[in-house]
Amino acid sequence: MKIDLLGKKWLDIVFEGRNKSYGAYDLRKHNDKTNLKALGIGAVVFAIAVATPIIADFISSVTATTDEGLHDRITAVKLPPKEEKPKEDLKPPPPPKPKEDVVKFVKPVVAKKDEVTEEPPKVEDIKDKNLGKEDIKGDKDAPLSVDPPGNGPPQNDVVEDNTIYNSAGIEVQPGFPGGMPKWYSFLKNNFSPPEEPGLKGKVVVSFVVEKDGSLTDIKVLKDIGYGSGKEAERVLRKGPKWTPAEQNGRKVRCAFIQTFSIENPEE
């Protein structure tokens, strides 16, 4: 007797005389259906796992194409310039009413009685009231407003002060860097008197200390000859800039006079 292992008869032989309600018998009896279900579920899960990347790529490509087309359509559209209608001349709104009454001020003028066109207000009418160009009824509930402080008159019309002041009456006199002792030392080391025996006298030179400290308008007021005046002028032009003079807190031009004493020995 041959037993068909693929059939279900062998189960009855194996479990003959045993409790067939035991789980192993029932499990083996329905094994074919269980295997088919498992195979079907596995096939579906495998198909979903394989198809998911393909579906994601397809959706992203479709979305990107749609966005690019939308972007092209938006950027390609050019709206015509908006025509602005000219604004009509609108009258400014009336100013708010003041908190207190304003009484029109009439300038008193000496005239004949029949020539008076407008009577000036009485003292009782202007008591505890402000004076203005016209009568205005005050509003006690009006907000109290204060104009913001201004910047004062414009400074564009300020004229630059190019006056040449005298060093004797200036508030802050011009000065050589390091003080006047340094100035005298500079003159002594740089001034070369003419080599003329017995030459004796004083050379007087005037100049102007500008606002930037430079020396200009150098003039020889007194010269004793032999090139002494030109030498004094040369030394002044060679010198460094001074500290400018000040008047009323502002730098100004200031005149200065310098004397050179020359006394050469006799041969």
Side-chain angles (χ1 to χ4, degrees):
M1 179 180 177
K2 294 182 179 180
I3 299 175
D4 187 7
L5 296 178
L6 299 178
K8 303 297 183 182
K9 293 182 179 181
W10 66 273
L11 289 173
D12 295 333
I13 296 173
V14 172
F15 286 92
E16 185 178 359
R18 297 182 181 182
N19 184 11
K20 293 183 180 181
S21 62
Y22 184 65
Y25 175 80
D26 185 68
L27 181 63
R28 285 173 174 79
K29 188 175 182 179
H30 299 89
N31 189 33
D32 294 340
K33 295 181 180 180
T34 304
N35 290 337
L36 290 175
K37 288 182 180 180
L39 181 61
I41 294 173
V44 172
V45 172
F46 178 77
I48 293 174
V50 173
T52 298
I54 300 174
I55 296 173
D57 293 339
F58 176 74
I59 293 174
S60 62
S61 62
V62 171
T63 305
T65 304
T66 305
D67 292 343
E68 290 177 358
L70 180 60
H71 179 71
D72 294 339
R73 289 196 298 272
I74 292 176
T75 55
V77 174
K78 292 184 179 180
L79 298 176
K82 185 179 180 181
E83 296 182 359
E84 296 184 359
K85 296 182 179 180
K87 295 182 179 180
E88 299 179 357
D89 295 335
L90 301 177
K91 295 183 179 180
K97 290 186 177 181
K99 293 183 71 66
E100 299 180 357
D101 296 343
V102 178
V103 179
K104 182 178 180 181
F105 175 74
V106 180
K107 186 177 181 180
V109 178
V110 179
K112 295 181 180 179
K113 186 175 181 180
D114 55 352
E115 295 178 355
V116 176
T117 59
E118 191 173 4
E119 292 287 344
K122 298 180 181 180
V123 177
E124 293 79 6
D125 296 336
I126 63 176
K127 185 178 180 181
D128 299 331
K129 293 181 176 63
N130 298 325
L131 298 179
K133 295 182 179 180
E134 58 183 4
D135 294 336
I136 301 175
K137 186 64 177 178
D139 184 4
K140 296 182 179 180
D141 298 330
L144 180 62
S145 59
V146 180
D147 295 336
N151 296 326
Q155 302 297 327
N156 299 331
D157 299 335
V158 177
V159 180
E160 186 178 1
D161 186 7
N162 288 321
T163 305
I164 299 177
Y165 290 84
N166 193 314
S167 60
I170 199 72
E171 291 180 355
V172 180
Q173 294 191 0
F176 186 80
M180 296 310 292
K182 292 285 186 180
W183 169 244
Y184 297 135
S185 177
F186 169 80
L187 296 178
K188 181 179 180 181
N189 295 332
N190 291 274
F191 181 75
S192 299
E195 296 181 357
E196 180 66 23
L199 183 62
K200 184 178 181 180
K202 294 183 179 181
V203 178
V204 182
V205 183
S206 67
F207 57 89
V208 175
V209 181
E210 297 290 342
K211 297 177 183 179
D212 61 351
S214 59
L215 306 185
T216 62
D217 198 19
I218 301 174
K219 296 180 181 179
V220 179
L221 304 180
K222 182 180 179 182
D223 192 356
I224 59 176
Y226 301 97
S228 58
K230 291 184 178 180
E231 175 62 15
E233 184 178 351
R234 181 194 69 82
V235 173
L236 293 179
R237 295 188 184 281
K238 178 183 177 182
K241 288 186 176 182
W242 288 40
T243 302
E246 293 186 12
Q247 185 73 11
N248 297 326
R250 309 178 79 177
K251 292 180 175 59
V252 295
R253 306 172 70 195
C254 183
F256 202 88
I257 295 178
Q258 180 61 48
T259 302
F260 296 83
S261 298
I262 301 175
E263 187 174 357
N264 292 344
E266 300 283 348
E267 287 187 348

